[in-house]
Amino acid sequence: MITLGIEGTAHTLGVGIVDDKCNVLANVIDMYRPPEGGLHPREAANHHADTVAGTITKALSDAGLSLKDIDVISFSKGPGLGPCLRVAATAARALSVRLDVPIVGVNHCVAHVEIGNATTGCTDPVLLYASGGNTQIIAFANSKYRIFGETLDIGIGNMFDKLGRELGLGYYAGPVIEKLAREGRELLDIPYSVKGMDIAFSGILTAAVTLRKKGHRLEDIAYSVQETSFAMLAEVTERAMAHVGKDEVLMGGGVAQNSRLREMIEKMAGDRGAKMYVPQPRLCIDNGAMIAWLGHLMYDSGVRMTMDDTKVEQRFRTDEVSVTWR
């Protein structure tokens, strides 16, 4: 069975194609990059609408397939930005109708879990999901993926991007902050905001901007922001692992590419006698292959959707998904 998945939750328009063994036959990504400022949902959606047809064509070409070879269409139903989600959903519906094949809307966060499970060799991990729009600690328990901790305000990637704009580092600032942090020497006073099993990043952002106004070096600010926020993530991830008794931690989301975060999580896992897993970079970021794979799992387990079932859900919670395939 060949499944084509369309990702469109935020800045990335992605089309992936997988078979029933999770061999990734194609994974084409086209990211919207605003000329200035931050991400505007309508402008990102316009980008997706302009590029989705070409991206589908490119994915089919990369896979050496034609539309008649596709058995199932899947798409990111949520969570995400409404205008962007609607572009992906509309494209998926159009393909489903044209090809007369089933359609499956999937949860974006769960897709990160399942592509990691399928491609890294882990079996039952706690997922540290750290991206622009989301930061969650997720694990499977009692027939669902449960959220054991999450951000109370903004995702960690969003915090990095907002900080980058405030400090003149440009948009998609995570890689720039990571590079600056390697030259940091002084750990500055940054709020450590862990509230039970949840975390908050807006205070870190405010403090970092204030420190820059006081004349502190960008390198020290970047270093302090990373060390503090990553320590917070490591703490809540470790407590989730202890709570559910799991000895695997899987990383997902764009921020999972940060080498310092991986280093800290690997150290935490090692101290517990556990193991850390990280998918290849193009499967960490938002991508169509993960959407395709979850669509395959859901369809293969008996999930069927009508067009009425494919309405997008901007606040589609991870723990609202009935996990029928496990």
Side-chain angles (χ1 to χ4, degrees):
M1 185 167 72
I2 303 296
T3 305
L4 183 148
I6 304 175
E7 155 62 21
T9 54
H11 50 57
T12 297
L13 189 283
V15 177
I17 302 175
V18 302
D19 65 13
D20 53 8
K21 303 297 183 183
C22 200
N23 294 308
V24 178
L25 308 180
N27 194 24
V28 181
I29 295 169
D30 193 318
M31 184 181 293
Y32 170 68
R33 298 183 179 277
E36 60 181 8
L39 177 68
H40 190 285
R42 176 50 58 192
E43 292 172 356
N46 289 341
H47 163 270
H48 297 354
D50 290 341
T51 58
V52 65
T55 307
I56 291 170
T57 300
K58 177 69 164 57
L60 289 167
S61 175
D62 286 356
L65 301 172
S66 66
L67 285 173
K68 63 181 176 59
D69 297 312
I70 303 302
D71 299 301
V72 178
I73 302 294
S74 64
F75 71 97
S76 49
K77 187 176 181 180
L81 304 174
C84 300
L85 290 170
R86 285 189 283 274
V87 172
T90 300
R93 293 185 197 111
L95 277 179
S96 174
V97 171
R98 176 182 171 183
L99 303 177
D100 192 27
V101 298
I103 185 171
V104 181
V106 310
N107 181 285
H108 175 92
C109 307
V110 175
H112 275 289
V113 182
E114 293 300 352
I115 197 66
N117 286 343
T119 61
T120 66
C122 62
T123 56
D124 189 21
V126 168
L127 172 71
L128 168 54
Y129 174 34
S131 73
N134 297 279
T135 301
Q136 294 180 339
I137 315 300
I138 302 166
F140 184 74
N142 299 324
S143 302
K144 288 189 176 183
Y145 280 110
R146 309 287 178 174
I147 300 171
F148 287 89
E150 63 185 319
T151 177
L152 296 173
D153 43 33
I154 56 178
I156 186 169
N158 193 352
M159 184 267 287
F160 284 156
D161 288 335
K162 287 177 179 289
L163 179 59
R165 291 199 301 274
E166 292 288 340
L167 301 183
L169 305 178
Y171 193 53
Y172 302 136
V176 180
I177 291 172
E178 180 179 5
K179 183 177 180 180
L180 287 169
R182 296 191 190 110
E183 305 300 322
R185 299 191 297 266
E186 182 183 1
L187 185 63
L188 304 172
D189 187 16
I190 297 282
Y192 188 93
S193 302
V194 174
K195 304 173 187 299
M197 282 296 292
D198 296 323
I199 47 187
F201 295 110
S202 56
I204 295 176
L205 171 64
T206 301
V209 172
T210 301
L211 288 168
R212 182 56 178 167
K213 290 177 180 177
K214 291 181 177 178
H216 288 278
R217 299 169 64 240
L218 282 174
E219 293 84 354
D220 292 334
I221 293 171
Y223 170 70
S224 303
V225 166
Q226 277 201 169
E227 292 298 302
T228 303
S229 58
F230 293 168
M232 290 159 50
L233 292 177
E235 177 186 336
V236 294
T237 302
E238 180 175 23
R239 282 199 269 122
M241 294 174 71
H243 179 71
V244 294
K246 299 187 189 294
D247 60 4
E248 297 175 327
V249 57
L250 172 67
M251 297 181 66
V255 183
Q257 298 177 89
N258 186 292
S259 59
R260 179 55 178 154
L261 177 58
R262 291 200 304 268
E263 178 184 320
M264 292 175 71
I265 298 301
E266 186 171 30
K267 176 68 165 58
M268 176 274 291
D271 288 347
R272 293 185 54 79
K275 189 172 181 180
M276 181 191 77
Y277 298 84
V278 187
Q280 60 178 269
R282 286 181 72 84
L283 296 178
C284 280
I285 62 176
D286 295 350
N287 66 91
M290 71 180 193
I291 303 301
W293 178 240
L294 180 53
H296 162 78
L297 290 175
M298 292 174 66
Y299 185 80
D300 193 51
S301 71
V303 174
R304 300 293 184 269
M305 291 187 177
T306 67
M307 287 298 168
D308 286 343
D309 298 322
T310 64
K311 295 176 183 177
V312 302
E313 298 181 41
Q314 294 184 63
R315 295 176 176 82
F316 192 7
R317 296 278 295 176
T318 304
D319 49 11
E320 291 176 349
V321 180
S322 295
V323 182
T324 55
W325 57 93
R326 290 189 57 162

